[in-house]
Amino acid sequence: MTAPLFPLFADLRNRAVRVVGGGAVAERKVEALLRAGALPRVGAPVLSARLQAWHDQGRIEWQAGEFGEDWLDGVWLVIAATDDATVNRSVATAAEARRLLVNVVDDAELSSFQVPAVVDRGALQIAISSGGGAPMLARHLRKRLEIQLDDAWGELAALFARQRERIRARFPDPGQRRRFFEQLLAGPLPRLFRQRQQAQAEDLFETSLRQTATAPAQGSVTLVGAGPGDPGLITLNALRAMNEADVILHDRLVSDDVLQLSRRDAVRIEVGKSAQGHSVRQEQIHTLMLEHARAGKRVVRLKGGDPFVFGRGGEELEFLRAHGIPYEVVPGVTAALACAAYAGIPLTHRDHAQSLRLVTAHCKDSQDTLDWAALAQERQTLAVYMGVAGLDNFRARLLQAGRAPQTPFALIENGSRANQRVVTGTLADLPDTARCHQVRSPALLILGEVAALAGTLHWFGAAPLHAAPPHSANLQAPTLPQAA
Ligand code: SAH
């Protein structure tokens, strides 16, 4: 076992660093050096296009030619980044002789310093090293940290750095100081930075600096779109919110795969509205959000798809605002986008559709308020939510308003999930086809010329099922061929 490396962050501003090599690897090293304010001196017979550009802009020096020991004159550090092992070795030996720290790219043996994998949040940097022995492991860990740490961390670091002297003066005792930081970090400050409320964040900091007593924790609600089901479709912000949540209030539409990603000790409460009925009333959901937020909890209100598309997200925010509960919104991939993508249906297409409408048609009342003349127009795509029950009426009204009976449709059931089914046909036999294949909620209807493209562009799960033959329309629904 070799001894572990000594970790260190070097101030390289205005300090010369020799980089030997002029290719892609050297380019990456030079870029990092420039970010740190160093003065890269590149030595190589030829430069890559980007290195050449930096040289033309006067940002780097260039010695053309082959490596010579005089290349190490006057530099603080050396990086050997050529693809020639002999050259790299000569650089390492020469640097060693001059007691210069040297990094030979991808060669821990020849290197006297390593460049770590870095998670970069402004002034805050997390460097990961495996001692050069397992760079893949370090990179893997880096990816995990990248996902967990949002931009707010950089802002926090900058604020604390700016206020360092004042904080020290206010809390000379290190224990007191630590408690001050811990309280700030557990409170709303990180959230204010995430919400780009710079001024409020500064205000909060000022108040906290003046306060002596500890304020009670303040809860909040994050409205999060969980997407259509495939856990790969949730956003990094959604993942972070779910990881920090104390309480998760989720709809039934949210898939188990997505719920699995939330913090293990978070309390999960299903306030499931199934597509058929509303099992927990909206007022009860409001009350639950309020109670938990007032108790100082971080509440995540997790909704299928996007919270602002037929998700009553607006009502929930109005309620929270009325009660003074701070909130955030994380958008999600709405069913229309996900179902279209997973069925191979481009929602707009230069040849077929120049606009897209998202509509809901779950009951007669909602259908009565729709502008059917507008919906019946050609060269547009309709994405219809909650439509399975009202298909007969939907077809009749559209035909009446003049949409062609042969307009293609696709019904996507359980879009993006393992049990996805796609049923295609034309408007004329839409309800019969849906019945024939026993399409169930959640299902989304896409109507318009583009729907026909599912036949050729599908890529996920089973191929689209076809329309029922016209004469079978009134027959009893046969048992389903199970999607493979
Ligand atoms: N806020 C959600 C929509 C809620 S309304 C969103 O943005 O997606 C519920 C309707 O969404 C369902 O009746 C169905 O039409 C559609 N839907 C949601 N998830 C779906 C899925 N995985 N596959 C097909 N349709 C879905």
Side-chain angles (χ1 to χ4, degrees):
M1 264 309 273
T2 49
L5 299 174
F6 180 77
L8 113 123
F9 285 92
D11 181 358
L12 292 178
R13 282 171 302 171
N14 298 317
R15 299 203 158 116
V17 176
R18 169 61 64 190
V19 177
V20 184
V25 181
E27 196 177 291
R28 279 204 304 278
K29 300 293 168 193
V30 168
E31 189 175 23
L33 288 169
L34 285 173
R35 252 204 316 271
L39 303 175
R41 292 184 183 167
V42 177
V46 279
L47 295 184
S48 74
R50 265 179 98 206
L51 285 170
Q52 186 64 56
W54 284 325
H55 181 245
D56 295 344
Q57 295 159 7
R59 298 179 68 190
I60 64 172
E61 287 177 26
W62 176 30
Q63 276 71 46
E66 303 299 332
F67 172 70
E69 288 198 19
D70 58 323
W71 280 13
L72 303 185
D73 292 345
V75 301
W76 292 73
L77 278 183
V78 184
I79 296 175
T82 80
D83 52 9
D84 183 329
T86 325
V87 175
N88 284 347
R89 184 171 291 278
S90 330
V91 176
T93 316
E96 184 74 25
R98 292 188 179 214
R99 301 185 185 186
L100 281 170
L101 289 176
V102 60
N103 173 258
V104 179
V105 174
D106 284 338
D107 194 329
E109 213 54 43
L110 282 181
S111 298
S112 51
F113 80 92
Q114 305 278 335
V115 182
V118 172
V119 182
D120 199 326
R121 296 290 177 273
L124 187 76
Q125 300 195 65
I126 301 170
I128 305 156
S129 162
S130 63
M136 292 306 276
L137 195 71
R139 258 172 257 153
H140 177 76
L141 190 58
R142 182 185 146 249
K143 256 189 271 167
R144 287 178 50 172
L145 291 173
E146 283 284 3
I147 290 168
Q148 274 170 37
L149 303 175
D150 57 49
D151 292 346
W153 288 94
E155 304 277 351
L156 283 166
L159 173 72
F160 291 159
R162 272 199 311 278
Q163 302 289 352
R164 187 148 179 257
E165 291 314 317
R166 288 182 66 212
I167 299 171
R168 281 172 166 264
R170 172 75 180 79
F171 303 109
D173 170 55
Q176 256 187 333
R177 211 151 57 224
R178 199 189 54 232
R179 277 192 297 282
F180 169 73
F181 280 120
E182 275 169 7
Q183 205 192 322
L184 265 185
L185 291 176
L189 191 64
R191 175 173 54 76
L192 289 174
F193 277 123
R194 272 203 307 276
Q195 295 177 207
R196 301 286 182 259
Q197 309 280 356
Q198 217 72 23
Q200 266 144 288
E202 302 273 348
D203 283 353
L204 176 70
F205 175 82
E206 290 300 328
T207 332
S208 315
L209 201 59
R210 265 179 267 122
Q211 251 163 19
T212 39
T214 38
Q218 192 191 21
S220 63
V221 176
T222 309
L223 212 61
V224 176
D230 178 348
L233 293 181
I234 73 167
T235 64
L236 292 182
N237 284 353
L239 193 62
R240 281 195 283 262
M242 288 165 64
N243 262 312
E244 287 171 7
D246 300 309
V247 177
I248 297 181
L249 304 176
H250 66 92
D251 286 352
R252 194 172 301 166
L253 210 54
V254 175
S255 76
D256 284 340
D257 291 346
V258 169
L259 280 173
Q260 291 300 326
L261 300 173
S262 53
R263 208 179 109 199
R264 265 177 237 287
D265 43 1
V267 177
R268 290 187 206 167
I269 305 171
E270 184 180 308
V271 291
K273 284 184 238 158
S274 68
Q276 286 78 30
H278 292 203
S279 52
V280 176
R281 305 227 327 237
Q282 192 64 35
E283 300 86 80
Q284 280 171 278
I285 298 176
H286 289 175
T287 312
L288 278 169
M289 290 194 301
L290 188 62
E291 278 172 3
H292 287 290
R294 285 209 168 137
K297 306 286 188 219
R298 282 163 300 188
V299 180
V300 161
R301 172 75 180 100
L302 196 59
K303 290 165 169 292
D306 179 87
F308 281 177
V309 178
F310 308 124
R312 306 188 77 164
E315 287 153 78
E316 293 180 8
L317 290 200
E318 282 161 15
F319 175 85
L320 292 170
R321 176 146 293 249
H323 289 82
I325 304 290
Y327 55 76
E328 291 175 83
V329 184
V330 179
V333 177
T334 190
L337 303 187
C339 291
Y342 280 63
I345 300 172
L347 289 168
T348 67
H349 189 293
R350 290 199 332 166
D351 300 335
H352 310 297
Q354 279 69 41
S355 72
L356 163 69
R357 279 169 194 265
L358 307 186
V359 284
T360 179
H362 76 106
C363 59
K364 178 119 189 351
D365 282 357
S366 64
Q367 294 200 357
D368 281 345
T369 59
L370 292 172
D371 178 352
W372 291 94
L375 293 181
Q377 272 165 31
E378 289 181 6
R379 304 187 68 80
Q380 67 171 334
T381 306
L382 304 184
V384 185
Y385 289 70
M386 297 182 271
V388 200
L391 290 179
D392 286 294
N393 197 35
F394 185 80
R395 164 187 180 274
R397 309 228 15 196
L398 265 190
L399 290 176
Q400 202 177 25
R403 193 68 157 121
Q406 67 275 15
T407 309
F409 79 81
L411 264 169
I412 300 109
E413 181 191 78
N414 288 308
S416 88
R417 304 176 182 211
N419 54 350
Q420 168 176 306
R421 287 197 308 159
V422 179
V423 174
T424 55
T426 55
L427 178 58
D429 34 55
L430 165 59
D432 290 329
T433 312
R435 271 191 287 274
C436 159
H437 291 291
Q438 299 187 322
V439 175
R440 299 258 182 280
S441 187
L444 182 104
L445 169 67
I446 296 179
L447 188 103
E449 284 67 22
V450 291
L453 293 169
T456 44
L457 298 182
H458 73 86
W459 57 274
F460 180 82
L465 302 163
H466 293 295
H471 56 269
S472 75
N474 293 323
L475 295 181
Q476 256 209 317
T479 31
L480 274 179
Q482 249 355 151

